[in-house]
């Protein structure tokens, strides 16, 4: 996992996108993406739940297996879903189950509060990415997807979180919906690469939910997403053409 720190030192930007199925994983892998994440965003963009809090370990295992069959080159990482890492021991058991399905690394949400779990997973020999800032698994408690690190006091807490995640052995850390200046400060404060989502341009890499990037979930797209395709429109057009030509 030293290669990720080395990329940061060389100033090489890291790219990451989500996949939940075989064809998407294979396409992203063939396109040259660095890291494919089987995100628990699965809950919204594939399973139709309101947020990620309904996602189970069984669902993540099922989708990780499908993605693994499509990936030859990229690092394949899977999210530990909510309440599958409440203790260090549980985190290791859950992470091993995702590895058995084909993941090469796992990600969990939480900073200083989750040092015990991160250490346990890393000491078990499993590469782990941290995730701080807006934590989607806490969205109900938080009452929405709100920007983090708006003030210097908030920024200082996030810097401590990032340092704690790094000291616990994570090879990288996601910064989700963090104020751009705070994300810059965090990126400067740690040696592991920061991977931003809605957190400005100063991070060492960027991650997006693929459905947002390609316009496959037209009912909601976060404001920070720069969409590169309109796949939902293509599906609608193809379905309409098929219906039309079949009905005559
Ligand atoms: O679940 C997810 O997709 C994520 C993001 C960081 C993209 O965790």
């Amino acid at each position: 996992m030293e290669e990720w720190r080395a990329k940061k030192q060389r100033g090489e930007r890291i790219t990451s996108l989500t996949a939940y199925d075989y064809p998407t994983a294979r396409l992203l892998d063939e396109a040259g993406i660095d890291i494919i994440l089987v995100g628990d965003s699965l809950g919204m963009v594939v399973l139709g739940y309101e947020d990620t809090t309904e996602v189970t370990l069984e669902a993540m295992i099922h989708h990780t297996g499908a993605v693994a069959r499509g990936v030859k080159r990229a690092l394949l990482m899977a999210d530990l879903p909510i309440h599958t890492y409440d203790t260090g021991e549980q985190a290791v058991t859950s992470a091993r189950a995702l590895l058995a399905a084909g993941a090469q690394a796992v990600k969990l949400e939480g900073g200083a509060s989750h040092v015990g779990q991160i250490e346990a997973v890393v000491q078990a020999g499993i590469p782990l990415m941290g995730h701080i800032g807006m934590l989607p698994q806490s969205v109900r408690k938080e009452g929405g997807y709100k920007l983090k690190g708006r003030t210097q006091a908030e920024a200082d807490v996030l810097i401590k979180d990032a340092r704690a995640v790094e000291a616990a052995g994570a090879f990288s850390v996601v910064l989700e919906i963090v104020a751009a200046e705070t994300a810059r400060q965090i990126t400067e404060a740690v040696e592991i690469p920061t991977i931003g989502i809605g957190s400005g341009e100063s991070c060492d890499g960027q991650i997006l939910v693929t459905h947002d990037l390609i316009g496959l979930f037209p009912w909601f797209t976060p404001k920070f997403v720069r969409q590169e395709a309109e796949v939902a429109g293509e599906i609608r057009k193809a379905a309409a053409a098929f219906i039309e030509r079949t009905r005559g």
Side-chain angles (χ1 to χ4, degrees):
M1 288 293 134
E2 276 309 304
E3 64 187 281
W4 302 103
R5 276 177 196 251
K7 274 187 193 288
K8 174 170 181 144
Q9 279 161 8
R10 292 195 296 269
E12 260 175 56
R13 289 286 174 95
I14 297 164
T15 59
S16 183
L17 287 168
T18 62
Y20 319 94
D21 57 52
Y22 171 83
T24 311
R26 188 166 168 180
L27 288 166
L28 297 180
D29 195 51
E30 289 173 2
I33 202 82
D34 294 313
I35 301 174
I36 293 180
L37 170 68
V38 187
D40 60 355
S41 46
L42 167 79
M44 289 102 85
V45 299
V46 174
L47 301 180
Y49 292 119
E50 206 162 297
D51 54 45
T52 62
T53 64
E54 308 281 345
V55 177
T56 62
L57 186 60
E58 289 64 36
M60 291 301 297
I61 289 169
H62 181 74
H63 287 269
T64 299
V67 168
R69 288 186 280 279
V71 177
K72 286 202 171 80
R73 195 198 38 77
L75 178 77
L76 171 48
M77 185 164 68
D79 265 337
L80 285 166
I82 191 166
H83 296 318
T84 65
Y85 55 96
D86 290 341
T87 65
E89 198 184 336
Q90 189 194 20
V92 173
T93 305
S94 305
R96 284 196 176 128
L98 292 171
L99 255 62
Q104 297 163 300
V106 298
K107 176 165 79 59
L108 64 75
E109 295 182 10
S113 59
H114 284 75
V115 158
Q117 288 92 326
I118 297 170
E119 280 175 353
V121 171
V122 174
Q123 277 164 22
I126 301 168
L128 181 142
M129 186 182 278
H131 184 151
I132 63 172
M134 201 288 135
L135 305 180
Q137 291 172 11
S138 307
V139 68
R140 294 190 184 185
K141 242 186 295 166
E142 299 248 329
Y145 296 89
K146 295 178 184 156
L147 181 69
K148 298 289 175 177
R150 286 169 183 265
T151 63
Q152 193 54 48
E154 276 179 35
D156 291 342
V157 172
L158 286 173
I159 291 169
K160 273 198 192 132
D161 276 331
R163 287 193 170 133
V165 165
E166 176 177 39
F171 73 90
S172 178
V173 62
V174 165
L175 308 184
E176 179 153 356
I177 321 183
V178 171
E181 167 55 19
T182 298
R184 191 196 61 74
Q185 290 180 26
I186 296 169
T187 300
E188 217 174 84
V190 292
E191 283 177 21
I192 55 173
T194 58
I195 313 293
I197 174 162
S199 300
E201 295 302 315
S202 302
C203 298
D204 299 303
Q206 296 288 333
I207 185 166
L208 277 182
V209 169
T210 295
H211 287 55
D212 295 336
L213 178 71
I214 67 173
L216 183 52
F217 195 81
W219 308 281
F220 174 74
T221 309
K223 279 198 210 89
F224 56 79
V225 172
R226 205 171 93 203
Q227 204 177 306
E228 299 287 356
E230 226 257 287
V231 174
E234 293 301 309
I235 292 175
R236 285 180 171 136
K237 253 194 277 166
F242 174 75
I243 292 166
E244 172 72 23
R245 86 170 180 235
T246 303
R247 289 182 185 155

